[in-house]
Amino acid sequence: MNINTATRTPGRPREFEIEAALDKAIVVFSERGYHAASISELKDAMGLAAGSLYKAFKDKKAIFLASFDRYKQVRNALLEQQLAEGENGRDKVSRMLRFYAEASHGDNGRRGCLVVGTAIELAVYDADAAERVDRSMARSEALFDSLIREGQADGSIPQAIDPAATARLLLSVTQGLRVLGKTGPNRDRAFSVVDTAMKLLD
Amino acid sequence: MNINTATRTPGRPREFEIEAALDKAIVVFSERGYHAASISELKDAMGLAAGSLYKAFKDKKAIFLASFDRYKQVRNALLEQQLAEGENGRDKVSRMLRFYAEASHGDNGRRGCLVVGTAIELAVYDADAAERVDRSMARSEALFDSLIREGQADGSIPQAIDPAATARLLLSVTQGLRVLGKTGPNRDRAFSVVDTAMKLLD
DNA sequence: CCTATTAGGGAACGATCGTTTCCAAATTAA
DNA sequence: TTAATTTGGAAACGATCGTTCCCTAATAGG
């Protein structure tokens, strides 16, 4: 008998952790892209047999969407952690930009962003992918907008700034950084973009 | 006997124009991406049999690289045309940004940019693709830089602006616009980004 | 205990991939 | 005219793709 009876389902229990497997899949999908990432590569990276993979996920697209959702969850948590340490609105905007710059150089940069990859490779002809990309972009844009307003309320950002328009520009900058990061500019060049973008808030 | 004997090679002459065929391939590669674009789709779009395709190009990658080069050639010519009509440095920077904004909404936006697509899907593990992406990005950055300096020389852009840093930022903005354009924001939102970016030159 | 159910894992499947082969057609050079 | 060469086009190739099947193992419920 099992202590956790209430949450257990009949049948043999799964021997691997879904989220740990998805973390491996995220790496493969990020650096190879959706189409170039084969089931063979995925099962090797995730440490599973093809049969087990298809019992946990309906098909390749389901593996991808689950990876995307996991990626967003992890990245959002890390970002919120960074923002929580911000002193005021302006500092939080700077921290958010630096969060993207940090991810846009070196190995992380070359690995790439799953959101950008999905937008480029999948969103045009897959509605599920497009919806997730749209939601992610809208969320980032809204976050920039609210941080700018917060800065205007606490006096760290001038009232003359247009929050909505500036949020859209900063969103463009972050997505652009992710593209440039794929061919790996060095750290200084990525952060130079952040410094220059912050001048918009003077 | 043929008037053009000097330029003719022995054997049956090619019955289609390479550049016209590449223009069709560009559309397929742009909206599907490299891996999702099958030879079957390409030959249909280009109006060729598989055999003919492989006599004109070594392999799929060669078709892609030729499409990329053709794409860059066409886009560069269009951009230079736009820039030639600019009144001063500042106006030329604005025109360049608007050139990208125009390509980043509606059907053109959804079709996407071959440079961005190559950076995301191919550059990480294909040296030929990476080199072309790097060259394209470096060229755009250098162009922004020179246009800003031109503006500083003709008085349309303040001396306090840092040309190199600002050029890097504007490059990020344009590449970001291309990403956002894949899920199709409307025209006004794309151009709002241009207007806000231009404030960096005040 | 037995039955139902689910997971692990590898073999096998049809489909499609990129590519090559083959033959007829069209051209140049001699 | 003949030989050499190249293209057009369709059929065929092996490889790999995503997916399913099948058998064994492990669990819950009765």
Side-chain angles (χ1 to χ4, degrees), chain B residues 182-202:
Chain B
K182 287 297 278 190
T183 50
N186 61 39
R187 197 188 135 93
D188 287 349
R189 286 172 65 87
F191 278 83
S192 138
V193 170
V194 173
D195 292 340
T196 308
M198 285 301 293
K199 293 190 177 170
L200 285 162
L201 305 184
D202 287 341

Side-chain angles (χ1 to χ4, degrees), chain B residues 146-188:
Chain B
S146 75
L147 295 181
I148 292 169
R149 291 178 194 277
E150 181 180 334
Q152 289 178 323
D154 66 31
S156 59
I157 294 176
Q159 300 296 330
I161 302 294
D162 178 342
T166 307
R168 275 198 287 278
L169 174 63
L170 294 182
L171 177 68
S172 284
V173 171
T174 57
Q175 302 310 303
L177 272 175
R178 284 299 223 163
V179 174
L180 298 178
K182 287 297 278 190
T183 50
N186 61 39
R187 197 188 135 93
D188 287 349

Side-chain angles (χ1 to χ4, degrees), chain B residues 2 8 10-13 37-39 54 59-60:
Chain B
N2 193 299
R8 276 290 186 84
R12 180 173 173 173
S38 68
I39 297 291
Y54 276 85
D59 53 19
K60 184 184 178 183

